[in-house]
Amino acid sequence: MRVALVAGPDAGHAIPAIALSKRFVESGHEAVLFTGERWFDIVVPGVTVAPLEGLTPRPQDNDGDAGSKIHARAAHIASLLLPGLSALLPDLVVSDVITAGGGMAAERLGIPWVELSPHPLYLPSRGLPPIGSGLEVGTGLRGRARDVVLRGLTARSLRQGERERSAARVGIGLQARDPGPNARLIATVPALEVPRPDWPANAHVVGPLHWEPTDIVLEPPPGDGPLVMVAPSTATTGVVGMLDAVCEGLGGLGMRVVATMLDPSGQALPDWAVAGQGRQDVLLHDADVVVCGGGHGMLAKALSAGVPAVIVPGEGDQWELANRAARQGSAVVVRPLDAVAVRNAVETILAEPRFAEAARRAAVTAMDVQDPVAVCLDAVR
């Protein structure tokens, strides 16, 4: 099978698409990944990387309007993608959930397509509080009433988004009503998912899709103190200054810090801390706790390795994910970023075995997932 994968350049979305491309190739299929230029130099045997046009904002684009950014930009990307897809003639298109242009282009060409969500399922539900609130499902009369009120408050925005999506679709020759993908790949740790009464029949939890963008193994500082792994958020909405706060908060405690970064800053660090590019999967074998921003990629990687986390969430879905992990028992949430609060959270996790035990339970759930390649094959039959 020839598969075209479409994902924007943000690491949290491009890396899962790269990982899935690799899975397709390892299963004997052909994979072509359309993405941003920062990933053009990746070396994944058998995976072809092609430019995804239309990512740069146009003069008329308003990236402050989320609906416009997602839907209008998706239609523009779809129009620019059509020639490349037409020439490739794939059997299937896999489109990242926020790079919706891939799905639109596939629909225009009559090609089956699958949506890739590199995080839990974020579709609205009649049984959940609004996604992004970080709230647990309300219980009892008051709790259920709260959720009904909150869903009502977000309903107007959802309807506006549907109208914007319909207008964007019509503008490129599609019917107004979106029929949706043939299947949805929910690439998360099941421990981060929540039950809902309206789970879509075509949605399949396939486990996190991890890929290491470097072969470098970053050596932790010498010593036998607890190893704290720091992974600052790669998202534009993430908290800044995390490594500085960790080093300030943990000074004098005999701990060791190792920070992994796609783009190291070169800042001066104490002799018990190192930072740079490095394989996160290798470091997680020895880490006692992870300090991260709550982006799904790092959080899912930590939980898959059974390592508890201190989460300093920024905007977007990081607040939602942080609270889900905290309710599962494997994380402590710190907000806003504060050196003393980070120190207290790290010490709490190290002192109380229940956090590591919960993280290990989460790791076990990562084995109870479906094969994403098999789901995709079923989608084209």
Side-chain angles (χ1 to χ4, degrees):
M1 184 168 67
R2 179 178 295 163
V3 185
L5 299 98
V6 181
D10 289 348
H13 295 268
I15 285 178
I18 294 168
L20 183 56
S21 300
K22 185 172 180 286
R23 296 275 285 270
F24 275 117
V25 170
E26 290 170 345
S27 298
H29 305 286
E30 180 183 348
V32 178
L33 173 63
F34 291 87
T35 188
E37 64 180 31
R38 73 178 296 187
W39 304 105
F40 287 0
D41 294 331
I42 67 169
V43 180
V44 179
V47 177
T48 301
V49 181
L52 180 61
E53 306 292 345
L55 293 169
T56 303
R58 298 166 294 173
Q60 67 268 35
D61 287 332
N62 177 16
D63 280 3
D65 182 333
S68 174
K69 182 178 181 180
I70 292 174
H71 305 305
R73 188 75 59 74
H76 176 55
I77 288 173
S79 297
L80 298 178
L81 185 58
L82 283 172
L85 280 186
S86 297
L88 185 64
L89 287 179
D91 301 289
L92 175 72
V93 172
V94 178
S95 186
D96 176 77
V97 65
I98 65 168
T99 317
M104 289 182 178
E107 191 179 343
R108 272 287 306 272
L109 296 172
I111 300 170
W113 73 281
V114 170
E115 183 178 81
L116 172 59
S117 295
H119 47 58
L121 180 64
Y122 286 163
L123 290 177
S125 169
R126 68 173 185 273
L128 301 179
I131 301 298
S133 67
L135 294 171
E136 189 172 11
V137 176
T139 58
L141 185 59
R142 288 187 177 181
R144 291 193 295 272
R146 178 207 67 185
D147 289 352
V148 169
V149 170
L150 291 176
R151 287 195 294 268
L153 293 173
T154 60
R156 180 178 178 183
S157 294
L158 292 172
R159 288 193 296 270
Q160 179 181 341
E162 290 171 358
R163 288 193 296 269
E164 291 174 342
R165 190 176 186 88
S166 294
R169 289 172 54 81
V170 169
I172 59 170
L174 295 172
Q175 62 180 8
R177 180 182 172 277
D178 187 351
N182 293 59
R184 302 177 193 273
L185 304 178
I186 312 302
T188 191
V189 180
L192 289 176
E193 196 50 90
V194 292
R196 56 170 73 202
D198 44 11
W199 183 270
N202 69 345
H204 308 270
V205 179
V206 298
L209 293 167
H210 298 315
W211 173 76
E212 294 291 334
T214 180
D215 291 325
I216 298 171
V217 175
L218 190 60
E219 289 294 331
D224 55 6
L227 182 61
V228 179
M229 178 177 168
V230 182
S233 176
T234 59
T236 56
T237 55
V239 171
V240 298
M242 184 180 297
L243 180 55
D244 287 336
V246 170
C247 290
E248 178 184 346
L250 300 186
L253 298 182
M255 298 188 193
R256 298 173 297 150
V257 169
V258 56
T260 60
M261 300 177 175
L262 284 175
D263 302 302
S265 64
Q267 67 194 87
L269 296 172
D271 58 8
W272 45 269
V274 297
Q277 283 193 343
R279 293 185 62 101
Q280 293 177 330
D281 56 350
V282 174
L283 290 171
L284 284 168
H285 285 304
D286 298 318
D288 296 289
V289 59
V290 169
V291 181
C292 64
H296 181 267
M298 188 61 234
L299 179 57
K301 193 177 289 188
L303 294 184
S304 296
V307 181
V310 173
I311 306 176
V312 188
E315 303 298 327
D317 66 344
Q318 293 186 3
W319 178 246
E320 176 75 30
L321 290 168
N323 281 281
R324 290 190 184 192
R327 288 196 296 270
Q328 191 270 335
S330 57
V332 174
V333 180
V334 172
R335 193 178 193 186
L337 177 62
D338 174 79
V340 174
V342 169
R343 180 192 67 210
N344 292 339
V346 169
E347 290 184 320
T348 296
I349 285 179
L350 293 176
E352 300 183 26
R354 61 187 174 93
F355 291 100
E357 292 167 0
R360 288 192 290 270
R361 289 196 302 272
V364 172
T365 72
M367 295 182 283
D368 186 22
V369 296
Q370 293 182 258
D371 176 10
V373 174
V375 172
C376 289
L377 288 174
D378 287 341
V380 299
R381 286 174 182 160

